[in-house]
Amino acid sequence: MASVASEPIDTTTEVPGKRTPLVTGAHDYGSITEAVCRLAECKAPLSWYLALAVSASLMGMLFGLVGYLIITGVGVWGNRSPVFWGWPIVNFVFWVGIGHAGTLISAILFLFRQDWRTGINRAAEAMTIFAVICAGLFPGIHIGRVWLAYWLFPIPNQMSMWPNFRSPLLWDVFAVSTYATVSLLFWYMGMIPDLATLRDRAKNKVAQFAYGLFSLGWNGSSRHWHRYERAYLLLAALATPLVLSVHTIVSFDFAVSQLPGWHTTIFPPYFVAGAVFSGFAMVLTLMIPVRSICGIKDLLTDRHLENMTKVIIATGSMVGYAYAMEFFIAWYGGNRYETFAFINRAFGPYAWAYWIMVTCNVISPQLFWIKKIRTTPWMIFVVCIFVNIGMWFERFVITVTSLSRDFLPSSWGYFKPTIVDILMLIGSFGLFMTLFLLFCKFLPMVAMAEVKSVVYEPPGHGDYQPKDEELD
């Protein structure tokens, strides 16, 4: 393995006339391959096994509770009149939002030729897939009779029953399934060259067969690279509109209703900004410990972290603006029911949840204006934990506060989650972390081929050097 020792570089400082490196540590192509493949080829550290044991236990608890729910019925949740949309829908919207950062980093930043995405895009794309899996679980069990979920799809049947295409709940089915399909293709397409690298380095027959099967016969020829880059570009262009469309359609679940607090046109951009906001926070929450445990600080530098915190500042400010604009429009519109809905959010029985949301989502991201905080990993980690908490509470406040104060005061109620609600939320994190840990162990968590494209390697490091007569 090539030596990568070098003087530490402050990658967060911009020097006029000199581009700050995206990869530190004097890496060449070979050392990058070694650094990324090390975890997949070597025995995982003890911390990985401990984390997997805890996550798998929580995932098992989740599926056990899902079985209990199917056998017993949705009455095991805290959903009661008038709050028939409780934590399951809150969790669904939360997890769909978490998945947005992967597509934005991979597709939009790729189209804008932002090279700093190369160190984080693979893990962010994986998180998109895993978050969508967690999100898709909740609507499926929320319908009550899980065995009738196929009624959501336009499949000819003997009952002459057809889905209501005017319902945003049906739009969700198509939007989220399309998003999951395109994101999976995009993630897999980007991994093909790296899977071929793992195939060529594999030392046992099972690994050789598995990596060889999924690398699709990749041999690194110019024809393969040409087709790969064209396909990747087309998938990026296809995935870009989904960043805007998916959470826009999720927001329509609320916005097209007639319920005060939901019936507002600001929801689509507000939900998209919040999704990117929470997605970037989750990427940082996971990648800060991973870069230390797996020894990839040279590939995922402080500059990557700082750039992501700047996105969090921007999207967090948009979310704060949306909070303020909701109150302004409620006052300016002159609708007393709308006005009551928002005053009730801030000063009613759920005021504690509202102010947790504001503190975590509006105030805490402003700490990133301080350079010391946005360039210190442990400080970034703490702030991102608060952002993740705040974004879950945002979905809780939107869903529950508007429903708990219905049109008739006689039907008002106070939602209280049951132990099944709480354990299912915790279990969904177990499912997410189990998938992420397996990804880190068996697949390349950093896009080797893309990182190598932003590293300058002097001539003589294994590259083919044409002769003078071949250049004529």
Side-chain angles (χ1 to χ4, degrees), residues 104 106 108 152 355 397 470:
L104 186 140
S106 300
I108 295 180
L152 293 168
W355 292 110
V397 166
E470 291 179 321

Side-chain angles (χ1 to χ4, degrees), residues 140-181:
I141 59 178
H142 190 263
I143 61 175
R145 298 170 180 171
V146 180
W147 52 92
L148 301 179
Y150 69 92
W151 284 4
L152 293 168
F153 297 93
I155 303 171
N157 56 77
Q158 76 281 6
M159 297 174 291
S160 298
M161 186 180 64
W162 205 245
N164 180 11
F165 283 97
R166 292 177 294 177
S167 169
L169 302 181
L170 189 65
W171 305 344
D172 270 350
V173 174
F174 292 98
V176 174
S177 59
T178 301
Y179 183 60
T181 303

Side-chain angles (χ1 to χ4, degrees), residues 341-399:
F342 288 101
I343 292 176
N344 179 64
R345 279 186 189 178
F347 303 106
Y350 293 100
W352 58 273
Y354 180 83
W355 292 110
I356 287 174
M357 174 191 79
V358 170
T359 303
C360 293
N361 292 347
V362 181
I363 298 174
S364 65
Q366 304 310 314
L367 296 173
F368 285 144
W369 288 104
I370 304 170
K371 186 177 178 66
K372 173 68 174 176
I373 295 178
R374 72 172 184 265
T375 56
T376 305
W378 73 265
M379 293 183 181
I380 298 172
F381 181 81
V382 171
V383 173
C384 288
I385 289 291
F386 280 107
V387 170
N388 290 322
I389 294 171
M391 287 309 297
W392 187 89
F393 270 99
E394 179 196 286
R395 280 56 184 253
F396 173 81
V397 166
I398 290 172
T399 304

Side-chain angles (χ1 to χ4, degrees), residues 203-261:
K203 294 181 173 59
N204 65 72
K205 296 294 183 181
V206 175
Q208 285 178 350
F209 174 79
Y211 291 130
L213 177 65
F214 288 104
S215 60
L216 304 179
W218 177 273
N219 60 18
S221 67
S222 59
R223 177 175 293 181
H224 278 192
W225 276 111
H226 172 72
R227 290 175 176 171
Y228 164 81
E229 290 172 357
R230 295 293 293 177
Y232 197 80
L233 178 63
L234 290 173
L235 283 172
L238 188 62
T240 296
L242 294 175
V243 176
L244 303 176
S245 67
V246 174
H247 228 57
T248 296
I249 291 175
V250 170
S251 75
F252 286 167
D253 292 351
F254 306 94
V256 301
S257 72
Q258 299 298 316
L259 193 66

